[in-house]
Amino acid sequence: MHELLYPFFLFQRSLAAWLFGALAVSAAACAASPTPSATAQAADVGTPQWRSVLHYTPQRNWMNDPNGLVYYKGLYHLFYQYNPNGNFWGDMSWGHATSRDLMHWHEQPVAMRAEETEEIFSGSIVVDAHNTSGLGAANSPPLVALYTSMYKAGSGHEAGTQAQSLAYSTDDGKTWRQYSRNPVLTLDPESKNFRDPKVSWYAQGGYWLMTTVVADAHVVKIYRSNNLIDWTFLSDFSLPGVPHREALWEMPDLFPLLLDGDSRQQKWVMILNVNPWSIAGGSGAMYFVGNFDGKTFTPEHVPTAGADPADYQWLDHGADYYAAGTITNAPGGDAITLGWMSNWDYAQQVPTTPWKGAMALPRLLALKTVGGVPRLISTPIEQYARLLREDKTTRVNTFSVSSATQQLAVSTRGIVQNIALTISPHSARRAGIIVRGSENGEVGTRIFYDTTSRTLTLDRSKSGETGFSNAFSKQHIVNLPLENGKLPLTIVVDRNSVEVFADHGRRVITDLIFPASTDNRISVFADDGEATFSDIAVTNLL
Ligand code: FRU
């Protein structure tokens, strides 16, 4: 959320609440006694053509950051920034959804609601297995949430002040009780930008760790605790020279990963979400790899002050991947991330109703040495791969295209699909694929390799509706040298998004698109030369 926009949002929120009230009154006047099914239908009108199938969306209303991602007793819990009262940012509360496989979600009742004097901003949840907080019982551990209280007038805090609070659940995440002595952590003096606590168990030291930010001061603050209630400051993480003074730092996450799967090479990864100043413009998720000694995080490589976003490492090079963080307690200790599939530059203008906001595909992170440096590799989780049924898959034999565009067979058409292929651009200046293409070829999202600049581009300038915001950026480009002249791609296409996993997850581009439901064609093309397309497998997922 951009600090400067808060007052505007407050205005917008009250305007929208007023409008909503007025509409509700007139609807009630028109339909004397609506039947339940008529009410359900009314809720469905809007933009079903953009309702994601593979990605979580709330049934109605606004959603932003994933919060409190935790796996517990066979269920994944996704809590999220949610407005129960409207399809715009405001009245921030924690929505809730659960899933057995991270792919099929069930929306649950709102877990924590905004009140007159306090909104519930982002945070995280841990399983307090040994009841260190004393808020559960030894044989029935509590789930403990640390979240940001955003105080309003009448709260006893200056309006706008942010501090970290605690809530707990003793019924496996169904209901939540706020701790009686909240907040548990404030800054002195109080800050209006102290937020987004991410808590984890630090096994080596036997204590809880919390990373949190002072967003406008560009600092991650790290704390420790034995009971999740009393927190002691450990250290600050910041960057020399702060290359992006206008940006906010939000939603930090610090976790260990093995480099190249080698148990002797444990590294620590710090994810830092920044808004704006992302590689694709607006908000995005950067990361650093380094060491953590129980007190201080030391990155191995930090670009010099004044550097460009391109000098940093990004989880995703598209415009729509923000507030990304890992799931706590994931089976096998896997690092699985979930990100909000939108961008603060235009999130409020996105033309979906009666909801706004979707989560990107959950991704498994691995740390691999690439060109001598540790890099995060992101791939769709195994539970997604299991959806790719052979009987729903069309395979196409290898073929070449020379200075032309060629549509694929009718059997490859679809609007929710997994597309795997390898492009060998050979002599072509550009070679690529067009997804969600229209019959007349005028609409389509283009994903192509440029052999001169050695870059991969996602171009959504003709992907459907784009005019709802001037900030809806059109092209996202990333450097990507080819291995043996080949570019393997896995493309996840949904009603409202495209996620490109290039070169086995070395680069990812995630972008929202707003095509018509009839835009269901796939084409490939080569400009100014010849390219070969091989290993094509298109799996329809609808
Ligand atoms: C990130 C963010 C967080 C904040 C929340 C408010 O998108 O701005 O820093 O806690 O959203 O909804």
Side-chain angles (χ1 to χ4, degrees):
M1 169 83 278
H2 199 287
E3 172 73 3
L4 295 173
L5 298 181
Y6 279 133
F8 173 67
F9 280 135
L10 290 178
F11 165 73
Q12 218 184 17
R13 179 172 60 195
S14 30
L15 180 71
W18 177 83
L19 269 176
F20 183 77
L23 288 176
V25 168
S26 60
C30 294
S33 58
T35 60
S37 65
T39 318
Q41 272 168 18
D44 284 344
V45 291
T47 55
Q49 74 274 26
W50 296 323
R51 171 78 77 181
S52 294
V53 172
L54 304 169
H55 301 86
Y56 179 71
T57 55
Q59 212 39 50
R60 52 189 313 134
N61 293 344
W62 169 273
M63 171 177 84
N64 57 289
D65 314 354
N67 294 153
L69 297 164
V70 65
Y71 180 74
Y72 188 54
K73 293 191 180 170
L75 266 191
Y76 291 92
H77 292 264
L78 161 63
F79 297 84
Y80 46 87
Q81 288 288 280
Y82 185 62
N83 181 352
N85 305 319
N87 199 12
F88 48 89
W89 185 86
D91 288 348
M92 292 325 294
S93 303
W94 274 28
H96 184 198
T98 52
S99 172
R100 297 213 166 267
D101 63 0
L102 287 170
M103 293 306 304
H104 302 88
W105 291 96
H106 301 281
E107 190 165 343
Q108 304 292 344
V110 173
M112 288 193 268
R113 274 180 192 270
E115 288 163 20
E116 272 301 298
T117 56
E118 181 184 335
E119 293 189 33
I120 318 284
F121 274 19
S122 287
S124 56
I125 290 176
V126 289
V127 180
D128 186 11
H130 300 292
N131 194 28
T132 61
S133 62
L135 296 167
N139 57 357
S140 153
L143 292 177
V144 175
L146 275 300
Y147 62 92
T148 300
S149 294
M150 204 282 278
Y151 292 112
K152 297 163 72 168
S155 62
H157 301 258
E158 194 189 327
T161 298
Q162 299 177 357
Q164 314 325 322
S165 290
L166 186 152
Y168 59 102
S169 171
T170 49
D171 59 6
D172 304 338
K174 285 190 202 71
T175 58
W176 291 84
R177 238 175 296 170
Q178 264 133 341
Y179 180 57
S180 56
R181 294 201 297 279
N182 276 338
V184 294
L185 183 62
T186 49
L187 280 188
D188 185 15
E190 289 193 320
S191 161
K192 293 187 175 168
N193 277 287
F194 181 40
R195 58 176 176 265
D196 303 346
K198 173 82 188 203
V199 177
S200 59
W201 176 249
Y202 179 56
Q204 284 102 313
Y207 47 83
W208 298 102
L209 281 179
M210 180 201 285
T211 51
T212 181
V213 290
V214 185
D216 61 343
H218 313 102
V219 62
V220 176
K221 291 195 145 320
I222 306 178
Y223 297 85
R224 64 170 278 181
S225 174
N226 293 327
N227 60 7
L228 295 162
I229 295 168
D230 304 300
W231 292 93
T232 311
F233 174 73
L234 286 179
S235 65
D236 280 339
F237 167 67
S238 56
L239 293 175
V242 188
H244 44 286
R245 285 193 187 282
E246 304 309 315
L248 296 174
W249 283 19
E250 300 185 314
M251 301 285 289
D253 195 353
L254 179 64
F255 55 93
L257 263 188
L258 298 182
L259 179 61
D260 300 320
D262 180 349
S263 59
R264 291 160 307 175
Q265 292 204 68
Q266 192 192 57
K267 301 276 177 193
W268 284 76
V269 177
M270 169 84 76
I271 295 180
L272 192 59
N273 291 276
V274 292
N275 172 39
W277 208 75
S278 153
I279 185 72
S283 45
M286 58 162 66
Y287 70 88
F288 299 89
V289 180
N291 297 306
F292 180 69
D293 62 5
K295 186 168 184 243
T296 309
F297 171 71
T298 313
E300 281 173 4
H301 171 74
V302 176
T304 49
D308 193 78
D311 297 328
Y312 289 77
Q313 308 291 350
W314 299 87
L315 275 178
D316 194 296
H317 286 77
D320 298 301
Y321 196 71
Y322 192 58
T326 53
I327 298 177
T328 299
N329 211 26
D334 282 350
I336 298 174
T337 51
L338 212 62
W340 174 46
M341 199 157 55
S342 197
N343 190 313
W344 279 117
D345 267 8
Y346 48 76
Q348 299 267 358
Q349 283 80 47
V350 159
T352 55
T353 57
W355 83 98
K356 274 194 203 347
M359 294 301 169
L361 208 66
R363 297 165 189 183
L364 177 68
L365 295 184
L367 198 58
K368 289 203 180 132
T369 308
V370 179
V373 278
R375 287 268 174 90
L376 283 181
I377 307 292
S378 309
T379 46
I381 50 166
E382 193 188 309
Q383 294 93 323
Y384 170 74
R386 275 192 231 132
L387 303 179
L388 307 180
R389 283 171 36 191
E390 194 55 40
D391 60 331
K392 298 270 184 193
T393 302
T394 300
R395 294 180 189 278
V396 181
N397 290 335
T398 300
F399 63 98
S400 295
V401 174
S402 192
S403 303
T405 299
Q406 188 171 318
Q407 214 180 90
L408 299 194
V410 175
S411 57
T412 65
R413 289 184 192 166
I415 54 175
V416 182
Q417 44 186 204
N418 185 83
I419 305 170
L421 81 162
T422 300
I423 304 177
S424 307
H426 301 315
S427 63
R429 186 172 55 85
R430 286 176 167 185
I433 177 167
I434 305 169
V435 303
R436 298 298 310 265
S438 62
E439 189 178 355
N440 64 9
E442 278 170 18
V443 172
T445 300
R446 301 165 77 84
I447 300 144
F448 60 83
Y449 194 75
D450 186 312
T451 50
T452 318
S453 57
R454 296 193 189 160
T455 53
L456 176 70
T457 297
L458 191 153
D459 181 343
R460 60 177 176 181
S461 57
K462 296 194 180 111
S463 58
E465 283 202 25
T466 58
F468 52 87
S469 162
N470 288 336
F472 187 69
S473 53
K474 304 297 189 299
Q475 278 203 349
H476 304 116
I477 305 172
V478 57
N479 285 326
L480 184 58
L482 295 190
E483 302 257 337
N484 307 319
K486 286 179 194 288
L487 175 64
L489 296 176
T490 297
I491 306 171
V492 181
V493 179
D494 204 338
R495 287 187 179 138
N496 184 214
S497 60
V498 177
E499 286 160 287
V500 181
F501 297 85
D503 199 6
H504 311 289
R506 233 169 93 196
R507 298 285 195 223
V508 189
I509 304 183
T510 300
D511 273 350
L512 291 178
I513 52 166
F514 300 88
S517 52
T518 46
D519 298 336
N520 63 358
R521 282 140 217 259
I522 303 177
S523 305
V524 295
F525 66 95
D527 288 345
D528 304 330
E530 192 199 33
T532 302
F533 299 86
S534 52
D535 309 321
I536 304 177
V538 180
T539 309
N540 273 316
L541 293 165
L542 192 60

